[in-house]
Amino acid sequence: MDFNHALGRVFAAGDGGLSIYGESRMKILIAADMEGITGVTTWDQVTPGHAEYARFRRLMTQDVNAAIRGAFEAGAQEVLVTDGHWNGSNILVEELEPRARLNTGSPSPFSMVQGIDESVDGVMFIGYHARNGSPNAVLDHTWSSKTVANVWLNDILTGEYGLNAAVAGHFGVPVIMVSGDQTACAQVTELLGEMETASVKQATGRYAAECLTPQTAQEMIFTCAARAVGRLAEGDVPDPFVLDSPVRVTVEFCTSDMADRASRIPFTQRDGTRVSFSSQSMALVYNGFRAMVMLASG
Ligand SMILES: [Zn+2]
């Protein structure tokens, strides 16, 4: 029920307690990935079928729960979670904070940011990782570790965080917090601007990090999420990430046969292992990008 209509923005300052946000319910979308979850340092931990995976999907659920609780604590009225890792079936729905809802499974129209539209007020990136080729970054990759070497949006070298932020930006929605290792947090803030960051591990390589324990990491995520929602209510968050139109996505594939397959998509341009595609619409660019990667992986 929305009993706050017509009151405008009223922000009750104080120790995290608030609030009435605008004329509508404050709605948060949590876009969750797994490589940047507390304790994760190897592919086995994030790959279904491996013995370690069960532990880490529970930790993923707990990191996400900390963000949900933080968001509600600070006045969010609606939290939607999207499971963006692998096949989108990692978060344990039976252990998810009951006030949230979960987008799970794949493929969905907007993949890692399924659920995004103009009704969302802010996006949180939980469990995010750095782009492919980054030093001191746990499981750094860009969308597909076996297929994609690099991605540019216009002339900006980016990772999944940039693609997903640009789709949110297409709908006028800002990214307001990120959790992951220190390099993921740094890349997100470098691209989008200063925001709340929960650096749950200090990566020293692709498969090594000094990790906080879950209890400590999740307290940090809770606090950052609450602060991020408080800052959103005050307007103290980065602007939505909107690219100059037309938006051009360029994918550098790992091998030329991958580029052969991706370039079968109409209206793409090919240059060596790079295939690019432009559109006025970032939503269309996102789907074109995913189509290229799916075709190239086949
Ligand atoms: Zn992932």
Side-chain angles (χ1 to χ4, degrees):
M1 187 186 298
D2 182 7
F3 48 86
N4 297 326
H5 56 88
L7 287 174
R9 177 177 293 178
V10 178
F11 178 77
D15 52 350
L18 46 149
S19 104
I20 292 161
Y21 180 73
E23 296 185 351
S24 59
R25 302 160 61 83
M26 187 196 276
K27 179 175 174 183
I28 300 296
L29 175 65
I30 295 179
D33 201 357
M34 199 164 185
E35 291 84 351
I37 291 298
T38 300
V40 167
T41 56
T42 72
W43 292 120
D44 285 1
Q45 293 164 344
V46 299
T47 305
H50 286 271
E52 285 280 87
Y53 170 73
R55 286 176 58 214
F56 287 89
R57 66 190 302 200
R58 175 157 286 118
L59 286 168
M60 180 185 188
T61 307
Q62 291 169 2
D63 278 15
V64 169
N65 278 342
I68 297 168
R69 290 178 185 130
F72 278 115
E73 174 76 12
Q77 285 135 324
E78 196 177 347
V79 177
L80 181 60
V81 177
T82 296
D83 186 336
H85 177 70
W86 195 265
N87 58 2
S89 301
N90 311 281
I91 291 171
L92 297 167
V93 69
E94 66 274 28
E95 294 182 15
L96 198 63
E97 159 66 47
R99 289 171 290 179
R101 284 172 291 116
L102 177 66
N103 274 314
T104 179
S106 76
S108 56
F110 282 114
S111 189
M112 297 183 76
V113 282
Q114 176 62 20
I116 190 72
D117 64 20
E118 292 87 352
S119 74
V120 176
D121 296 294
V123 173
M124 296 178 176
F125 287 162
I126 300 297
Y128 266 51
H129 56 82
R131 64 177 176 262
N132 194 49
S134 303
N136 299 323
V138 168
L139 304 183
D140 62 306
H141 69 285
T142 302
W143 209 270
S144 167
S145 60
K146 295 193 175 87
T147 311
V148 176
N150 286 298
V151 172
W152 291 263
L153 282 173
N154 291 341
D155 291 326
I156 304 167
L157 177 65
T158 189
E160 291 162 32
Y161 56 90
L163 289 155
N164 296 329
V167 175
H170 172 82
F171 291 100
V173 182
V175 177
I176 63 170
M177 99 163 252
V178 55
S179 80
D181 66 24
Q182 84 280 17
T183 306
C185 292
Q187 290 182 0
V188 169
T189 53
E190 184 191 9
L191 179 68
L192 303 177
E194 192 274 322
M195 69 177 75
E196 293 297 322
T197 59
S199 187
V200 300
K201 49 195 167 189
Q202 291 288 314
T204 52
R206 199 180 200 199
Y207 305 121
E210 181 181 304
C211 299
L212 298 178
T213 60
Q215 185 182 340
T216 305
Q218 287 153 18
E219 280 169 12
M220 181 191 285
I221 292 169
F222 172 89
T223 302
C224 285
R227 276 201 214 123
V229 167
R231 288 177 58 174
L232 177 62
E234 292 179 311
D236 181 24
V237 291
D239 290 333
F241 182 48
V242 179
L243 289 150
D244 292 338
S245 187
V247 182
R248 182 173 198 80
V249 64
T250 304
V251 184
E252 182 182 354
F253 290 99
C254 294
T255 59
S256 52
D257 62 299
M258 294 172 181
D260 291 343
R261 287 192 292 275
S263 62
R264 294 290 87 83
I265 295 176
F267 312 114
T268 52
Q269 281 92 45
R270 168 86 182 263
D271 176 15
T273 54
R274 296 183 187 191
V275 184
S276 60
F277 167 88
S278 303
S279 169
Q280 300 291 333
S281 162
M282 182 58 214
L284 223 148
V285 164
Y286 192 63
N287 283 318
F289 163 76
R290 290 164 59 206
M292 283 200 279
V293 176
M294 277 187 253
L295 210 52
S297 306

